[in-house]
Amino acid sequence: MSLPAIAVKSLVKTFGDTTVLHGIDLEIPQGQVSCLIGPSGSGKSTLLRCMAFLEEATSGTIAINGETLGFTENVRGVRERVPAAANRAIRAQIGMVFQQFNLWPHMTALGNVSEALKLVQKMNRKEAEELAMAQLVKVGLESRAGHYPSQLSGGQQQRVAIARALALKPKIMLFDEPTSSLDPELTGEVLNVMRDLAAEGMTMVVVSHEIGFAATVGQQITFLDHGKVQFSGPPQEVFKKPRNPRLEQFLDTYLDRGASMLM
Ligand SMILES: Nc1ncnc2c1ncn2[C@@H]1O[C@H](COP(=O)(O)OP(=O)(O)O)[C@@H](O)[C@H]1O
Ligand SMILES: [Mg+2]
């Protein structure tokens, strides 16, 4: 077994008095697509944000390719902050795409992708724009490089956001409901870009209600409910009986039952 891309151990996250994640243990394998499903409010976004260190865990640890992110914890539970420079290097292995595309409205597609390279990687303009263009080609938006976000469809904007994350050469990509704010006819183009990325062997964690995508592209499906992992396993075990009763209820309530035909 190779080292997991992400190893989450006993992760607890509280906001004030509310515990949102109740001791999550989860391993994300290298080079696979892991899908995270679960009802609204179950803690999917919080878990993803902890993996990207956009949130600090309350207790427990997260290791990225074997290196502990944020805080180490000894056997007595004493936590110690990972030095900032080391932590930045670990975080840099992670790219994230959100439901809201968060593009800069005053910059073109090319500008949006190259800006991060100039800011984060201190590249000069020419270098940054070359690399940015290569990423736009990859997501099929070569001809839209000079367009501003307002001139692009939602699907195109999300593909720019994916290109922007990929330009920073992450080893792991996290997607939080990347198609949830898109009209149905635009989700396909985004899912296709994600499929291509999966085929290249990118390690991906995808929160999505697109059960067809999870069933066909996902290799590990994790069902989160009330801040706990209720089930984690290959798609065949999720979508075929025997099922975890809570998972079955979730699939009945939230998802298109037609998806089970895919398995
Ligand atoms: N910054 C925050 N402050 C307080 N509560 C939060 C915060 N972020 C999330 N929560 C709460 O944590 C729970 C899980 O939220 P979230 O991770 O967004 O769930 P999901 O993505 O599965 O819908 C929700 O009850 C939500 O209200
Ligand atoms: Mg969410």
Side-chain angles (χ1 to χ4, degrees):
M1 279 296 284
S2 66
L3 195 66
I6 306 180
V8 178
K9 286 204 186 102
S10 310
L11 179 71
V12 173
K13 177 65 186 174
T14 62
F15 293 107
D17 294 338
T18 313
T19 300
V20 171
L21 298 176
H22 297 263
I24 303 284
D25 289 298
L26 183 64
E27 289 193 349
I28 303 298
Q30 297 282 355
Q32 292 193 11
V33 177
S34 297
C35 294
L36 213 54
I37 60 174
S40 177
S42 58
K44 305 179 300 294
S45 293
T46 304
L47 176 56
L48 225 57
R49 291 173 61 80
C50 285
M51 289 173 173
F53 204 61
L54 298 171
E55 298 282 359
E56 290 183 1
T58 306
S59 65
T61 58
I62 295 174
I64 308 295
N65 291 316
E67 294 179 286
T68 305
L69 177 71
F71 293 86
T72 58
E73 201 171 88
N74 72 13
V75 286
R76 289 188 300 281
V78 176
R79 289 164 72 73
E80 206 169 307
R81 195 176 274 277
V82 174
N87 206 48
R88 264 197 303 279
I90 299 168
R91 278 176 80 178
Q93 298 179 46
I94 305 241
M96 189 154 172
V97 171
F98 303 88
Q99 181 176 341
Q100 301 305 328
F101 328 123
N102 305 317
L103 297 180
W104 289 297
H106 61 291
M107 283 184 189
T108 62
L110 188 69
N112 267 279
V113 181
S114 61
E115 188 65 12
L117 293 167
K118 289 190 269 183
L119 285 177
V120 182
Q121 299 196 343
K122 316 288 180 213
M123 278 186 191
N124 67 40
R125 182 179 162 156
K126 183 169 177 288
E127 228 183 337
E129 289 188 347
E130 271 173 21
L131 214 154
M133 191 50 129
Q135 294 304 327
L136 287 175
V137 170
K138 207 172 146 102
V139 299
L141 288 177
E142 205 174 351
S143 64
R144 297 285 186 275
H147 289 53
Y148 288 87
S150 63
Q151 301 170 312
L152 299 171
S153 72
Q156 291 170 339
Q157 290 181 59
Q158 188 60 300
R159 283 149 66 197
V160 173
I162 293 172
R164 180 172 62 179
L166 290 176
L168 296 170
K169 300 270 181 276
K171 296 200 176 119
I172 302 167
M173 283 285 287
L174 310 180
F175 294 86
D176 193 357
E177 302 206 33
T179 60
S180 292
S181 62
L182 298 177
D183 292 335
E185 72 270 23
L186 300 178
T187 62
E189 63 189 68
V190 172
L191 294 176
N192 282 339
V193 166
M194 292 168 64
R195 260 190 208 102
D196 289 347
L197 203 54
E200 287 173 15
M202 175 65 83
T203 302
M204 296 163 60
V205 185
V206 182
V207 173
S208 180
H209 294 295
E210 293 290 337
I211 205 65
F213 178 87
T216 54
V217 185
Q219 286 139 309
Q220 171 178 276
I221 310 288
T222 300
F223 174 57
L224 210 65
D225 194 21
H226 293 108
K228 290 185 186 135
V229 171
Q230 302 285 347
F231 176 88
S232 189
Q236 304 87 287
E237 285 178 29
V238 174
F239 301 115
K240 279 193 180 156
K241 288 179 185 286
R243 289 178 181 150
N244 168 310
R246 298 178 80 99
L247 174 57
E248 182 142 24
Q249 190 192 359
F250 169 76
L251 291 174
D252 279 343
T253 311
Y254 282 79
L255 303 170
D256 170 17
R257 294 309 301 271
S260 60
M261 303 296 289
L262 291 166
M263 298 309 300

